[in-house]
Amino acid sequence: MAQEKKGLIARMLEGKERSEEYARSTLPTNRWQLFFDIFKGNFGKIVKVNFLILLFFIPMIAIIVLFMLLGNTNNAIYPFGSNLTTGYPAQPNTAGLSEMLKLQSDGFMYGAFVLASFIAAIGLAGGMYVIRNMVWTEGIFVANDFWRGVKLNYWNALEAALFFCLVTLVAKFLINTAELTFAVQEIGGFQRVMFRISQAFSWVLIGLAAMMSLWMIALGVNYKQGIGTLIKNSFLMTIGMFPQSIFFGFLALLPFGIFLLGDFLPLFTVIGVIFVLLFAFAYALLVWLDFGQWAFDKFINPKIEGAKVGRGIYNKDGTSAAEGGESAAAAEYRRVILAAGKSKLVSRPIKPIDDSLQVYELPSSFTREDLQRLRESKQNIAEDTAAYEEEHKNDLRYVEYNKQFEEREKALQDETDKKGRKKKRKPPKMLGE
């Protein structure tokens, strides 16, 4: 009776976490589950990574704030939209003045972005390496892995940052030049259409460069390739997965988009600042690299010899999401199970303890009839346990568990037989036989 109470208390304290079925059911089986698993279970590490990234993005953020203040100052000083000589200071003609200031301001700002990219790439390189390891469900030490990521991925991060900043610099120059031309000249017909096409093309180019830069980050942290190959592959991934890239790019940059609502309600600006300080950069990398890993498992990793497919996720059927190969998490789970050895507690059904059958308790003074009742109660429990085992022996979890050891034993037996056949070779015949 005391033993039964001890077992009951142990089960209450340990809970279901000790059972194999529970352990397997808690593993993420798709990329969505993996994202929420990481975001909830590693939020503290995400905040730390975000802080380290943010430190190296301070120059770029300062540039944005500075030029926003400059734009507001210009709007307050210059009487835009008027050709009158009224106001202070007096302006004889303001036609094209706003567009000229915009052209100069954007040129200086995006040129400064190019220089700030060399510093921001440090935070981006370390952050994308740490988040990549989270997606692979590898153990991480934030500070150590961050600086290791800087050493391994700085040039990849810098290439992605410079690519986006340079393309945006050129595209914005074309857009602002067209606006300035419209403001100071009377243009019509074919020439005006060409300027509008140039503007539209420039905006498309900025969006394309943004998507390609995200793919350059994902490809650069996963594969070794030159800058030319990296740009080509990022373009192919952007075009080949355009709808998914748009959706997950929007999802990744959503915390930064909160700032755009600040013009309507200042509260959104405060919320945006809190998001940026806490997790916005790390969250964006987590969303994109998780999605990127799914794309690589689907299109790239199955075609590369030795590449692991399905890292970080476990599929119940033992296969990865791409091409039916065993996932890395499933392979690791199988290795741990086989190394631990076959357990009698897991390999067969064991009926849960309940009060339906109990062992007959002998009184202080017992007779032969009491002993007979004790034997019968034990026999009933043994038969009931055997019946339960027979009824549930073909349950999927027991079949899968035992199958792993049967396959290993068969492989070991085949290897032993193969070695035995090699030893039983006939000796060479002697001369004269």
Side-chain angles (χ1 to χ4, degrees), residues 124 153 215:
L124 183 60
N153 298 292
W215 278 114

Side-chain angles (χ1 to χ4, degrees), residues 105-252:
S105 176
D106 283 357
F108 284 123
M109 183 175 72
Y110 289 106
F113 278 172
V114 172
L115 298 178
S117 295
F118 287 87
I119 299 175
I122 298 174
L124 183 60
M128 68 192 206
Y129 180 77
V130 174
I131 299 298
R132 192 282 310 271
N133 288 350
M134 284 186 180
V135 172
W136 285 2
T137 61
E138 294 184 356
I140 61 169
F141 297 94
V142 174
N144 292 340
D145 287 345
F146 184 88
W147 294 113
R148 176 174 172 79
V150 173
K151 294 178 183 178
L152 294 175
N153 298 292
Y154 176 75
W155 293 110
N156 291 329
L158 181 61
E159 289 164 0
L162 286 177
F163 176 79
F164 176 71
C165 291
L166 290 173
V167 170
T168 305
L169 174 63
V170 174
K172 285 293 289 183
F173 175 79
L174 295 175
I175 293 170
N176 293 330
T177 301
E179 291 295 336
L180 178 61
T181 305
F182 292 146
V184 299
Q185 297 181 20
E186 290 292 335
I187 298 177
F190 178 76
Q191 192 175 6
R192 189 177 186 86
V193 172
M194 292 303 297
F195 271 108
R196 290 301 184 191
I197 292 176
S198 172
Q199 284 184 304
F201 175 77
S202 298
W203 284 115
V204 171
L205 195 62
I206 292 174
L208 182 64
M211 291 294 100
M212 289 179 61
S213 298
L214 290 174
W215 278 114
M216 289 174 72
I217 291 172
L219 288 164
V221 79
N222 281 277
Y223 308 102
K224 293 182 179 179
Q225 48 197 319
I227 178 63
T229 305
L230 187 62
I231 293 175
K232 182 188 73 173
N233 289 339
S234 65
F235 176 77
L236 293 175
M237 294 298 293
T238 300
I239 299 302
M241 303 191 67
F242 188 73
Q244 296 95 326
S245 297
I246 293 294
F247 175 76
F248 284 100
F250 171 80
L251 201 62

